[in-house]
Structure formats: structure tokens, C-alpha cells
């Protein structure tokens, strides 16, 4: 006789019993542990964002997603986020697309996440899912041992490059100067800065420049175009998650293929170069011109890792520096007093190109760049995901002053843009561009344009040197600046970084 099949009611009963057993087990293990952590640390619940009440919002959190999307399209996402913190407090919890998102502008919390409890936090899965198809596994997309390995591999090169290969960089700055009309007609400096940093980054990383600022016969724009589009797709995927993969441009796969093929060509050359080196002398060999790839092949021969690291650094370093330069020149075009003061500092060089040591001495220029990164952080927001149950020192309770328990898998986002405009840290004039505030300002974790802790930006000195050098050289070449955009206010344009939507349209008068 055939065995009797279980009836539907038996299956349902079995499922319910299984669920109850799992729930009891979970309560006795994870739940008990969590309650103990909450009790022992005096944690209070995080304040919920009260604008999004109701069971539908509790369940799926669509409203805030739609609002953010709209603000993103209208180029007001950063400002609306800032106002949300002002309305609800410095740490809030929002339900968004079925998950809880914690958000903060509290320096103590960021210090905990980035430094004191660094090991409790990883990059969010969404970031990895978005970045890996283009960048591969590299410093920007990995955690734990893999990240540590990347960081160790790359760090020595940054110590050396801090000094900056200014002679090579000068060649690109000269091309930039040549691309600016000398009759005072309008030019968009932002466009030129993005080309400058692509040219200099490819030269620094691969040993060969895209030369996009050069007369067109020697330039390679295809790589820059494909890389830009791939970057836009990464940005969309970071914001929209897996849903955005359905709306990707049809050119995405071709672009990624082209970008990888382009870099692989240099990787192969680098590996051939490696073969020419006597293994023992490899480390000692020094070249006139610094090429990142040549240093990398001395440390590894894995072509995929080399390609990934090169792309990771290209992404990390190129737009960021171009955005910093653009935002700086946007302000310079509007502030004649700051322009004059900076001109007089630059004038002390007597028209000579600056050395690395001289750049370091230019106090006012540094203040201008610091202020620019405060008001317009080019990485305006960021996030981490808790990989274990953990406790933050602040953020709990209605006043946000009590410790806060954060369950594993929770994403914590922060806005450097909003935090760096907090009036309780920077004063009532926090929204104004005032480099002289840096005469006395010595901020801690409330100023985080380069992040902090073990994952602090590796290219900080590199970027500041490039931005300083370019600014000095342009100021030496041009004595007057005039803004040519009807005085429009700075409007955010968030890609992977953040820059002004309307570019930097100016007229420049040669010295
Ligand atoms: C104004 C210019 C720059 C700004 C504001 C900036 C900002 C940042 C920030 C906020 C991070 C942390 C990202 C995160 O952990 O989620 C970061 C990481 C990084 N940056 Fe920069 N960056 C700049 C320029 C550069 C340049 C020029 C390079 C290289 C040439 C570079 C290389 C890196 C690398 C390799 C990391 C990853 C560090 C790690 O995860 O260990 N950055 N940068």
C-alpha cells in the first residue's frame, strides 16, 4: 500500500511549529544576548523619523525612497537631508525599501564606526554589488583580510607619491593653461579640471596619459567616455540597489569590456617590464618618472588584481580632485577679496613654479581648500554596515544622547555635508565660505572630507598637492577672474562624488 501523503493542514502545522521553535531558539540565544548588551550599556532606542508613520511605511518605507529620489533629480538631496537632521535630531532611523536605515551627523558615532570599533563595520553589500562589476576586487570594494592586503600593497606608493611628481604634472597643467582662452572669453573650468585629472591620473597610474587636454590628434577620449559612463552606472546602482540593474544603459557591458581591455593592455606592459627587472634589484631600481603600475608589478604579478587596484585608484582619485578644484574656483570667481589675498600669497613665489615644500608653506591656500572641503565635501555622504551586534556611544533616546544598540546587518549612513555645516560646531555663519575661520579652527571628527581611522583616504596629500599646484599655476598665469553664470548659487550634482551642477563658467585675464 502506498504511504499516505501529508495533508496541507499537516504541512502548515509543521511549518508553524518549525517557526515557533526557531523563534524560541532565537530568543534564547541572539535575543538574550541583545537584551543583555542593551541593559549593560544603558542603550535606548533610536529616534524614529516621525514623518513616515503608518503600517505601509513600517513595512516597505516607500515614501522616503520616493522623496529622496525626487530630491536627487531636483539636485536638492544634500540640502533636504540636512534639513531632516535639523528637524529630527542628529541620529535618526528611517524605514526605506523594507530595511531600517540609521543616519547620523554625530562625530562621536563616526569616530566609533571608523576607528574605535572599526572591526564591527564593513562596507555595505550594496556598495560592493554596485562597484565590483567595473572595479573588481580592490581597495575600494573589499573588507577584512582582502582590504588589508590591498592597503598594504598600495600604501608604500602613496608615501612616495606624496612628494608628487610635479614635473610630470606640470606638463598637464601647461596643457590646461593652453586650453584657456586668453582673450577673456567664457570658459568652463570644471570641464577642463575633469580632463586634467583624467590625464594626470592615467599618466601617474599607467605611465601613459589619455591626453584629453592636448590637441585632438593625440588624445584618447574613448577610455574617458567609457569610464565616465561606467561610473554613472555604479552611482545609479549604489543609490537604487539591484533594481537599477534593470535600467542600465545598454552600453554598460561594452563600456566595462572596453575599460578592462584598455587597462589590461597596460597591465601586460607592466608585467613585461617586471620580467626585465632582476628580481633582487627590482626594489632598488628607481626611475626618473614615477609610474604607479611599475611599483605595483614589483609587489604582485596577478594581472586581475593589478587591473582592479589601478581602476580602484583611478575612481578614487580622479573625480574627487577635479571636484575639489571646481568647487574652489567656483568660490574664487565670486569672492574678489579671497582672490586678492590668494594672489598675494602666490605672488611671493616670484612667478616660479612651486616646489612641494613651498606648497606646504602656503597657509592661506590650504585654508581655502580646507574650507572648500568643509562646505562642499566631494564625498558628501557615506555608509557602513554592522557585521555584528554592536553599541554606539550616542544616538539613543529622544535627545540622542544615550548609547545606541545596533543589530548586525544594519546600515548606518552619514552626511559629511550636513555635519560640516552644523552651527553648533562651526558657528552661525557655518553656511558661508570663510577660509579665515581656519585661523583658529582645529576640528576633530566633525570634519571628515577624507574619512578617518584605518580606512582614511590614501590619496589625501596627493590630492591636496595637485589641487594646490594647479591653483597656484593658474593664478600665476591669470591675474583677474570674472564669473560668467549670472551669479547662480552652487547647486549640487551628485554622481559618485559631488560637484556643482552649472560648472565653473568664468572669464580669465592673462597676467
Ligand atoms: C579631494 C580629493 C579626495 C577626497 C575628498 C577623497 C576622499 C576620500 C574618502 C571620503 C574616502 C573614504 C571612502 C570610504 O571609505 O568609503 C577615500 C578613500 C580612498 N581614497 Fe580618497 N579622496 C580624494 C582623493 C584621492 C586621490 C587623489 C587618491 C589617489 C590617487 C585617493 C585614493 C583613495 C583610496 C585608495 C581610498 C581607499 C582607502 C581605503 O579604503 O583603505 N583619494 N577618499
Amino acid at each position: 500500500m502506498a504511504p499516505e501523503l501529508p495533508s496541507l493542514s499537516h504541512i502548515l502545522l509543521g511549518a508553524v511549529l518549525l517557526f515557533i521553535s526557531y523563534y524560541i531558539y532565537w530568543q534564547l540565544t541572539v535575543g538574550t544576548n541583545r537584551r543583555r548588551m542593551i541593559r549593560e550599556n544603558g542603550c535606548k532606542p533610536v529616534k524614529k523619523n516621525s514623518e513616515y508613520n503608518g503600517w505601509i511605511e513600517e513595512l516597505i518605507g516607500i515614501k522616503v525612497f520616493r522623496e529622496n529620489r525626487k530630491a536627487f533629480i531636483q539636485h536638492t538631496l544634500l540640502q533636504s537631508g540636512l534639513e531632516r537632521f535639523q528637524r529630527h535630531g542628529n541620529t535618526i532611523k528611517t524605514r526605506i525599501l523594507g530595511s531600517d536605515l540609521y543616519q547620523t551627523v554625530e562625530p562621536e558615532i563616526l569616530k566609533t564606526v571608523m576607528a574605535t570599533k572599526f572591526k564591527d563595520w564593513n562596507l555595505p553589500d550594496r556598495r560592493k554589488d554596485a562597484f565590483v562589476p567595473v572595479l573588481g576586487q580592490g581597495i575600494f570594494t573589499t573588507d577584512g583580510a582582502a582590504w588589508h592586503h590591498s592597503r598594504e600593497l598600495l600604501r608604500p606608493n602613496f608615501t612616495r607619491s606624496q612628494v608628487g611628481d610635479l614635473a610630470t604634472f606640470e606638463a598637464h597643467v601647461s596643457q590646461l593653461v593652453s586650453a584657456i582662452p586668453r582673450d577673456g572669453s567664457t570658459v568652463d573650468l570644471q570641464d577642463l579640471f575633469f580632463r586634467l585629472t583624467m590625464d594626470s591620473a592615467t599618466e601617474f597610474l599607467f605611465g601613459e596619459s589619455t591626453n584629453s587636454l592636448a590637441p585632438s590628434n593625440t588624445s584618447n577620449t574613448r577610455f574617458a567616455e567609457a569610464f565616465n559612463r561606467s561610473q554613472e552606472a555604479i552611482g545609479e546602482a549604489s543609490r537604487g540597489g539591484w533594481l537599477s540593474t534593470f535600467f542600465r544603459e545598454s552600453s554598460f557591458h561594452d563600456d566595462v569590456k572596453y575599460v578592462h581591455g584598455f587597462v589590461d593592455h597596460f597591465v601586460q606592459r607592466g608585467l613585461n617590464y617586471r620580467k626585465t627587472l632582476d628580481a633582487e634589484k627590482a626594489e632598488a631600481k628607481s626611475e626618473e618618472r614615477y609610474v604607479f603600475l611599475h611599483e605595483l608589478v614589483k609587489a604582485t604579478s596577478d594581472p586581475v588584481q593589478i587591473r582592479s587596484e589601478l581602476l580602484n585608484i583611478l575612481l578614487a582619485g580622479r573625480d574627487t580632485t577635479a571636484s575639489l578644484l571646481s568647487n574652489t574656483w567656483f568660490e574664487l570667481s565670486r569672492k574678489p577679496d579671497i582672490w586678492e589675498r590668494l594672489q598675494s600669497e602666490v605672488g611671493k613665489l616670484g612667478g616660479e613654479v612651486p616646489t612641494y615644500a613651498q606648497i606646504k608653506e602656503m597657509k592661506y591656500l590650504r585654508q581655502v581648500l580646507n574650507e572648500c572641503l568643509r562646505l562642499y565635501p566631494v564625498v558628501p555622504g557615506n555608509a557602513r554596515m554592522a557585521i555584528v551586534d554592536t553599541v554606539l556611544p550616542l544616538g539613543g533616546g529622544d535627545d540622542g544622547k544615550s548609547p545606541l544598540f545596533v543589530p548586525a546587518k544594519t546600515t548606518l549612513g552619514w552626511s559629511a555635508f550636513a555635519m560640516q555645516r552644523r552651527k553648533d560646531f562651526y558657528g552661525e555663519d557655518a553656511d558661508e565660505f570663510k577660509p579665515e575661520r581656519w585661523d583658529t579652527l582645529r576640528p576633530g571628527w566633525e570634519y571628515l572630507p577624507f574619512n578617518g581611522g584605518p580606512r582614511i583616504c590614501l590619496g589625501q596629500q596627493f590630492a591636496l598637492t595637485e589641487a594646490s599646484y594647479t591653483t597656484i599655476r593658474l593664478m600665476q598665469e591669470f591675474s583677474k577672474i570674472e564669473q560668467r553664470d549670472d551669479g547662480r548659487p552652487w547647486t549640487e550634482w551628485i554622481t559618485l562624488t559631488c560637484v556643482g551642477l552649472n560648472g565653473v563658467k568664468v572669464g580669465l585675464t592673462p597676467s
Side-chain angles (χ1 to χ4, degrees), residues 176-244:
L176 170 79
V177 170
S178 307
I180 297 174
R182 299 190 82 80
D183 60 0
S185 55
T186 303
V187 60
D188 183 0
L189 286 180
Q190 186 159 301
D191 171 50
L192 298 182
F193 289 146
F194 273 76
R195 291 205 250 155
L196 171 77
T197 55
M198 178 56 101
D199 289 354
S200 69
T202 44
E203 170 117 46
F204 165 71
L205 292 170
F206 311 143
E208 201 171 292
S209 174
T210 41
N211 270 327
S212 62
L213 280 170
S216 56
N217 55 346
T218 56
S219 72
N220 181 345
T221 50
R222 172 122 192 245
F223 172 71
E225 284 159 15
F227 189 69
N228 287 345
R229 282 194 299 268
S230 309
Q231 232 176 273
E232 277 165 30
I234 295 177
E236 271 300 315
S238 312
R239 286 182 293 273
W242 58 271
L243 265 177
S244 60

Side-chain angles (χ1 to χ4, degrees), residues 65-78:
F65 176 77
R66 288 211 330 244
E67 273 184 22
N68 281 354
R69 187 82 204 155
K70 193 169 156 206
F72 172 76
I73 291 165
Q74 293 174 343
H75 303 282
T76 54
L77 185 64
L78 297 178

